Amino acid sequence: MTVLMDGKKLSEIIREELKIKIQKLSEAKRIKPVLATILVGDDPASATYVKMKGKACESIGMGSRKVELPSGTSTDSLLKVIDDLNKDETIYGILLQHPVPEQIDERKCFDRIVSEKDVDGVTSAGFGKLSLGIPCFPACTPAGMIRLLEEYQIELAGKHAVVVGRSSILGKPMAMMLLDKNCTVTVCHSRTKNLSEILHTADIVVGALGKPEYIKGEWLKEGVVVLDAGYNPGNVGDVHFESASKKASFITPVPGGVGPMTITMLLSHTVKAALEKNKV
Ligand code: NAP
């Protein structure tokens, strides 16, 4: 039997728990956690993501502050905005929406975010800490996938996990988190040879390559756990769901699997930042 890992349902449960924590914070300190989002330019997909994040904050009683900057913004002007948000005591988390226009040094801007407000896990220091097993806010999509694995009580120690994709927001941090959970981790990318043979040895597969329905069920072994982080036009993931679900013991659907967990982790990290800062 194949179990669907329901990220939508788990997200709803976590958001209810967050509402209670926000209420406590309000009662104890009269404080509301606020997430600042920075959107540079007019990319419609990015605008939609930022809007969704703002709405999600409001739906659980958090605040959100939206900073919108024109597409011609320079690195220095963006750094100044980040500096101001770093100093602002009412802001507990900062999210700089990726990608920024190409004239901007995105890495420099990410790294300007102070670690206690790096709720999206984008700074180099945050990635370093994650890799060393030092507490930090990990990138939200991998954090959501790990939370799903925990929820479904999937044994990880000693398992062979194959992560397909090595981006700094997804594949690499996911590999580090699985390593921390004592998996034996293989990271595949666009130059990997014999992907299907490698996948055939995997107990856990993470699809994070951005190619619709690329990973086929025929490449997977019986009983595999499949996490599909992909989100592509037509509402499909990076894994061919129909064939993969015939082999998998557990699988995330698209939509309703990893996607909702990403925003929920962002909310959760911001609430945690506010609780820690105010010692509640
Ligand atoms: P990305 O930055 O474009 O990285 C894609 C990675 O996949 C790269 O490392 C690339 O290898 C690798 N790759 C590309 N083609 C491959 C192939 N044929 N075989 C093996 N590896 C291949 O993408 P991303 O930002 O990590 O996003 C990946 C997917 O996750 C997308 O579908 C995206 O929409 C989705 N996503 C979902 C969420 C969510 O909230 N659910 C959040 C972020 C992203 P190279 O390094 O060699 O180029």
Side-chain angles (χ1 to χ4, degrees):
M1 196 192 73
T2 305
V3 176
L4 278 188
M5 301 170 86
D6 191 339
K8 193 164 176 274
K9 191 167 144 210
L10 179 57
S11 273
E12 283 163 11
I13 295 167
I14 297 171
R15 289 184 194 201
E16 287 306 314
E17 291 165 0
L18 290 176
K19 280 186 194 170
I20 296 166
K21 289 182 181 168
I22 292 165
Q23 186 67 31
K24 267 193 191 157
L25 197 54
S26 159
E27 282 164 9
K29 303 268 178 175
R30 293 180 185 275
I31 278 161
K32 192 178 192 174
V34 180
L35 172 73
T37 58
I38 311 171
L39 174 66
V40 190
D42 44 21
D43 174 54
S46 295
T48 305
Y49 291 139
V50 167
K51 207 169 154 191
M52 279 166 67
K53 288 163 189 169
K55 270 194 174 168
C57 287
E58 278 146 36
S59 73
I60 61 160
M62 272 174 59
S64 69
R65 185 174 321 156
K66 208 162 147 190
V67 180
E68 288 180 1
L69 302 170
S71 51
T73 301
S74 66
T75 300
D76 283 346
S77 327
L78 181 51
L79 289 173
K80 167 84 176 64
V81 169
I82 294 168
D83 285 342
D84 290 344
L85 293 170
N86 281 338
K87 280 185 236 142
D88 189 331
E89 300 227 321
T90 65
I91 299 292
Y92 290 94
I94 302 173
L95 176 130
L96 170 59
Q97 184 63 43
H98 162 85
V100 293
E102 58 183 23
Q103 78 277 7
I104 293 177
D105 184 340
E106 187 179 70
R107 176 50 42 210
K108 196 170 177 185
C109 293
F110 277 152
D111 285 343
R112 195 70 155 235
I113 300 170
V114 290
S115 63
E116 60 271 27
K117 297 190 185 187
D118 178 24
V119 291
D120 202 24
V122 292
T123 61
S124 308
F127 183 73
K129 284 182 184 169
L130 184 74
S131 308
L132 293 170
I134 298 169
C136 64
F137 294 119
C140 295
T141 307
M145 287 193 273
I146 294 289
R147 186 71 179 76
L148 272 168
L149 290 168
E150 287 168 356
E151 183 66 18
Y152 285 85
Q153 297 178 5
I154 290 163
E155 182 68 45
L156 296 176
K159 295 291 167 65
H160 182 206
V162 176
V163 181
V164 189
R166 57 173 167 182
S167 73
S168 55
I169 56 147
L170 221 172
K172 277 183 190 160
M174 187 61 189
M176 289 303 160
M177 293 177 88
L178 288 166
L179 192 58
D180 194 54
K181 298 279 182 194
N182 298 314
C183 287
T184 301
V185 182
T186 302
V187 182
C188 299
H189 46 80
S190 65
R191 315 253 182 108
T192 296
K193 293 193 172 112
N194 305 325
L195 179 65
S196 60
E197 282 168 32
I198 297 168
L199 284 171
H200 212 77
T201 66
D203 302 305
I204 298 160
V205 169
V206 178
L209 68 157
K211 296 250 161 23
E213 302 182 315
Y214 190 86
I215 297 172
K216 314 287 183 230
E218 304 85 270
W219 303 350
L220 306 175
K221 74 175 179 189
E222 212 57 63
V224 65
V225 174
V226 179
L227 294 154
D228 189 353
Y231 189 62
N232 303 290
N235 268 350
V236 294
D238 290 349
V239 176
H240 186 265
F241 183 83
E242 201 190 322
S243 57
S245 56
K246 288 191 181 125
K247 292 279 185 71
S249 52
F250 292 84
I251 187 166
T252 56
V254 177
V258 176
M261 290 299 292
T262 299
I263 297 189
T264 299
M265 290 299 107
L266 180 68
L267 303 177
S268 173
H269 292 168
T270 309
V271 171
K272 191 167 182 239
L275 291 167
E276 281 174 1
K277 180 89 195 286
N278 295 286
K279 302 188 170 48
V280 174

